[in-house]
């Protein structure tokens, strides 16, 4: 654990020098999204079409989960690739007593910090806009964190093996963005064609969106929430297990 904390503290030291730049992603982006789409365009959506919900109440918790996924891609794919291929901070760390598993775990701990703090900032903005209906909305923050880690851990395990940055960009455009659009963030899954719904239901983002939304609205059930949490936790654990192997194979000096 001390070795893991050394790697984590290294990331925190760098973050202390750049945290102001993350305000745009953590606070300004959700604020603008909720104003433009939720409180602006959303007024054109008939609440009757959403079961009596305003579009802001429907959209905001879904966007919370989607933002966690986006942050996870930045931290788990782009930053991991850069740490090995561009600035080579992983290789510098590997020249110390730190083992690849320590580098991986310490960085993932920092990823969790970044995703969690961004989710907290988003949730505060949601509450300020009156986009929640239930006290259970407080649990949307850990739900968004789990959603983000369900992406970050497998992405880190994969990104450390990728040689070309363009590969990351291609996956972001053609895998992440379609998932962003068709996982219930902007509109209900039930409005999709019947053949497409099963694909949406197996995506991690749908599980995160539905978990955050039902908690925010107070409609969550123990069984459904347990399924969502189990699915996302399994992806996180699987990603960590694979990362232990890929980091060991690709980080060396």
């Amino acid at each position: 654990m001390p070795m893991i904390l050394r790697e984590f503290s290294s990331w925190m030291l760098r973050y202390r020098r750049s945290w102001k730049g993350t305000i745009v992603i953590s606070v300004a982006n959700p604020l603008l999204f909720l104003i433009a789409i939720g409180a602006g365009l959303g007024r054109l959506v008939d609440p009757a079409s959403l079961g009596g919900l305003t579009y802001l109440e429907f959209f905001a918790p879904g966007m919370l989960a989607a933002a966690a996924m986006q942050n996870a891609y930045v931290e788990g794919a782009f930053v991991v690739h850069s740490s090995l291929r561009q600035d080579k901070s992983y290789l510098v760390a590997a020249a110390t007593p730190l083992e690849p598993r320590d580098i991986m775990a310490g960085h993932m701990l920092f990823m969790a910090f970044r995703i969690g703090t961004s989710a907290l900032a988003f949730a505060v903005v949601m509450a300020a806009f009156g986009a929640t209906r239930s006290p259970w909305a407080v649990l949307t923050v850990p739900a968004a964190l789990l959603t983000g880690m369900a992406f970050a851990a497998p992405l880190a395990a994969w990104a450390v093996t990728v040689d070309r940055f363009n590969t990351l960009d291609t996956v972001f455009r053609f895998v992440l963005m379609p998932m962003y659009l068709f996982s219930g963030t902007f509109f209900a899954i039930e409005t999709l064609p019947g053949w497409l719904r099963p694909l949406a239901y197996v995506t991690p983002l749908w599980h995160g969106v539905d978990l955050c939304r039902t908690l925010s609205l107070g409609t969550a059930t123990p069984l459904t929430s347990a399924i969502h949490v189990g699915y996302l936790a399994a992806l996180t654990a699987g990603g960590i297990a694979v990362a232990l192997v890929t980091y060991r194979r690709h980080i060396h000096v």
Side-chain angles (χ1 to χ4, degrees):
M1 182 60 73
M3 289 297 185
I4 294 173
L5 293 180
R6 288 186 182 184
E7 177 67 8
F8 174 69
S9 65
S10 173
W11 284 101
M12 288 298 295
L13 180 62
R14 278 180 271 185
Y15 183 64
R16 286 174 58 188
R17 299 169 181 171
S18 61
W19 68 269
K20 293 180 180 179
T22 66
I23 293 177
V24 174
I25 295 177
S26 301
V27 180
N29 275 2
L31 180 63
L32 292 175
F33 261 109
L34 294 180
I35 292 175
I37 297 181
L41 182 63
R43 293 184 178 181
L44 303 177
V45 179
D46 185 1
S49 66
L50 297 173
L53 300 175
T54 65
Y55 188 68
L56 179 61
E57 292 171 332
F58 175 85
F59 166 76
M63 190 62 207
L64 171 61
M69 177 191 72
Q70 186 172 342
N71 287 331
Y73 199 89
V74 172
E75 298 293 334
F78 292 136
V79 176
V80 167
H81 182 271
S82 175
S83 297
L84 182 61
R85 310 293 179 186
Q86 275 79 47
D87 65 36
K88 302 185 185 299
S89 60
Y90 275 177
L91 300 184
V92 173
T96 72
L98 292 172
E99 296 290 337
R101 64 176 180 271
D102 302 320
I103 297 170
M104 180 276 294
H107 194 183
M108 283 199 185
L109 189 59
F110 178 74
M111 292 177 201
F113 168 80
R114 286 284 295 113
I115 294 168
T117 52
S118 296
L120 177 60
F122 199 122
V124 169
V125 174
M126 277 177 54
F129 271 76
T132 60
R133 283 196 169 192
S134 168
W136 289 105
V138 69
L139 294 180
T140 59
V141 174
L145 170 58
L146 181 59
T147 301
M149 292 309 296
F151 283 94
L155 282 168
W158 166 69
V160 79
T161 71
V162 175
D163 293 323
R164 299 181 59 189
F165 179 84
N166 289 343
T167 302
L168 305 180
D169 197 39
T170 299
V171 171
F172 182 82
R173 291 183 180 184
F174 297 105
V175 177
L176 219 71
M177 291 310 296
M179 193 185 304
Y180 193 92
L181 296 174
F182 299 107
S183 294
T185 304
F186 297 96
F187 50 84
I189 290 295
E190 290 73 21
T191 62
L192 292 174
W195 63 270
L196 189 56
R197 292 177 201 170
L199 295 177
Y201 288 138
V202 299
T203 62
L205 183 56
W206 176 78
H207 286 272
V209 167
D210 196 61
L211 180 60
C212 288
R213 182 170 289 141
T214 54
L215 288 170
S216 178
L217 299 177
T219 58
T221 63
L223 177 59
T224 303
S225 297
I227 291 173
H228 292 324
V229 170
Y231 185 93
L232 297 170
L235 283 177
T236 303
I240 291 173
V242 175
L244 287 171
V245 176
T246 56
Y247 270 65
R248 186 177 67 249
R249 290 179 177 176
H250 290 84
I251 296 180
H252 53 82
V253 291

